[in-house]
């Protein structure tokens, strides 16, 4: 049977999904709680991976190797970088890159050494399902009113981007980046190595600027949980 992993970095990003699992059973491994259950006709493993690329990579490796997940959906929040990517918007990644990877002059900037690539593509089918779900949610749901769905490059690094200067710097060198977060590209690299499909959906909690810290905390407290739940459930039901 296929097993779908659903992953978020923080408690709030998966909290509203946990009560939706039928026949919930929890196993602890590598310091994480892996929740097993049924969700909208899918056999699901739900887990909070923790914040940052290493935490995401460890969790992804456990999901794919120990638990044999056949595909992985990552849900959570991100800072908006691209023009017109506003708080409350939804971003579905088509491709991901580690913005803090730099082994120059041995390898080109951003390239993951010895892989020959800097960008890791998300699965088109799962991304399309998430995009359709995000689009519908943006149009209809009270907490996503007037939101826009974006699809494109999401960049990840072990840094919470919280100044105009830093977000401007990122955009200057990666002008097609829509959003910045701290896990997606690590998940992408591990899924690539295991040849398993994955997709990443993020709701924009802040603009990665000097107000990011306050906006992020407010958004995570008030809307991150229902946002994640609704977009993931709509994608599973599609
Ligand atoms: N996740 C949400 N907002 C973020 C930001 N500004 N920087 C990095 N990760 C984030």
């Amino acid at each position: 049977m296929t097993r779908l992993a659903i992953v978020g970095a923080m408690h709030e990003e998966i909290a509203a999904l946990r009560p939706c699992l039928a026949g919930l059973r929890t196993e602890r491994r590598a310091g994480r709680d892996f929740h097993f259950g049924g969700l909208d006709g899918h056999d699901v493993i739900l887990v909070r991976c923790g914040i940052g690329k290493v935490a995401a990579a460890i969790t992804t490796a456990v999901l794919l190797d120990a638990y044999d997940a056949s595909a992985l959906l990552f849900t959570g929040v991100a800072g908006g970088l691209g023009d017109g990517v506003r708080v409350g918007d939804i971003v579905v990644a088509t491709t991901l890159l580690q913005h803090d990877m730099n082994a120059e002059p041995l390898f080109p900037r951003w390239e993951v050494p010895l892989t020959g690539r800097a960008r890791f593509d998300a699965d088109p089918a799962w991304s399309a399902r998430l995009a359709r779900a995000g689009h519908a949610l943006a149009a209809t749901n009270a907490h996503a009113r007037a939101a826009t769905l974006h699809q494109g490059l999401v960049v990840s690094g072990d840094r919470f981007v919280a100044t105009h200067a830093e977000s401007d710097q990122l955009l200057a060198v990666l002008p097609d980046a829509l959003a910045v977060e701290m896990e997606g590209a690590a998940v992408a690299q591990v899924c690539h190595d295991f040849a398993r499909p994955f997709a990443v959906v993020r709701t924009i909690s802040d603009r990665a600027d000097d107000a990011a810290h306050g906006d992020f905390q407010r958004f995570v407290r008030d809307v991150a949980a229902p946002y994640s739940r609704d977009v993931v459930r709509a994608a599973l039901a599609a």
Side-chain angles (χ1 to χ4, degrees), residues 206-220:
D206 58 83
R207 277 288 303 170
D209 57 12
D210 301 78
H213 178 63
D215 292 347
F216 171 83
Q217 290 192 320
R218 234 184 338 272
F219 192 92
V220 163

Side-chain angles (χ1 to χ4, degrees), residues 84-91 146-150 202-204 219 227:
V85 181
R86 295 169 308 163
V87 172
D89 284 359
I90 298 174
V91 174
T148 304
L149 172 82
H150 308 267
R202 296 283 192 171
T203 51
I204 299 302
F219 192 92
Y227 242 122

Side-chain angles (χ1 to χ4, degrees), residues 3 77 143 149 180 224:
R3 228 182 209 181
V77 299
H143 52 253
L149 172 82
V180 59

Side-chain angles (χ1 to χ4, degrees), residues 10 13 76-80 99 155 157 159-163 180-183 202-209 212-213 216 220:
M10 294 181 301
E13 292 167 330
V77 299
H99 68 74
V155 298
R159 241 167 30 217
F160 186 79
V161 178
T163 62
V180 59
E181 36 87 310
M182 302 178 70
E183 297 84 20
R202 296 283 192 171
T203 51
I204 299 302
S205 55
D206 58 83
R207 277 288 303 170
D209 57 12
H213 178 63
F216 171 83
V220 163

Side-chain angles (χ1 to χ4, degrees), residues 14-205:
I14 65 152
L17 276 166
R18 204 169 70 125
C20 305
L21 294 187
L24 177 69
R25 172 175 69 81
T26 300
E27 240 179 67
R28 200 162 168 81
R29 194 185 270 253
R32 287 133 174 96
D33 288 324
F34 294 83
H35 306 292
F36 296 77
L39 184 63
D40 300 317
H42 296 263
D43 187 15
V44 157
I45 316 173
L46 177 71
V47 61
R48 174 173 68 91
C49 69
I51 295 172
K53 292 187 300 175
V54 174
I58 292 168
T59 310
T60 304
V62 170
L63 284 164
L64 301 185
D65 201 24
Y67 293 133
D68 204 25
S70 46
L72 188 150
L73 303 184
F74 199 101
T75 178
V77 299
L81 284 180
D83 234 14
V85 181
R86 295 169 308 163
V87 172
D89 284 359
I90 298 174
V91 174
V92 174
T94 53
T95 191
L96 298 104
L97 168 149
Q98 297 176 41
H99 68 74
D100 55 355
M101 173 62 76
N102 189 351
E104 285 180 320
L106 302 177
F107 297 92
R109 180 120 185 235
W110 302 301
E111 186 168 303
V112 178
L114 306 176
T115 68
R117 61 169 67 219
R119 296 181 182 217
F120 292 81
D121 292 345
D123 179 63
W126 274 111
S127 299
R129 281 170 87 145
L130 286 171
R132 276 195 300 276
H135 191 68
L137 185 69
T140 59
N141 221 4
H143 52 253
R145 200 178 309 125
T148 304
L149 172 82
H150 308 267
Q151 288 180 270
L153 173 65
V154 170
V155 298
S156 314
D158 285 318
R159 241 167 30 217
F160 186 79
V161 178
T163 62
H164 271 296
E166 206 180 335
S167 53
D168 284 353
Q169 235 169 45
L170 277 174
L171 265 185
V173 291
L174 294 164
D176 58 334
L178 294 177
V180 59
E181 36 87 310
M182 302 178 70
E183 297 84 20
V187 168
Q189 185 183 337
V190 177
C191 286
H192 174 264
D193 284 0
F194 279 83
R196 305 276 169 88
F198 73 93
V200 175
V201 61
R202 296 283 192 171
T203 51
I204 299 302
S205 55

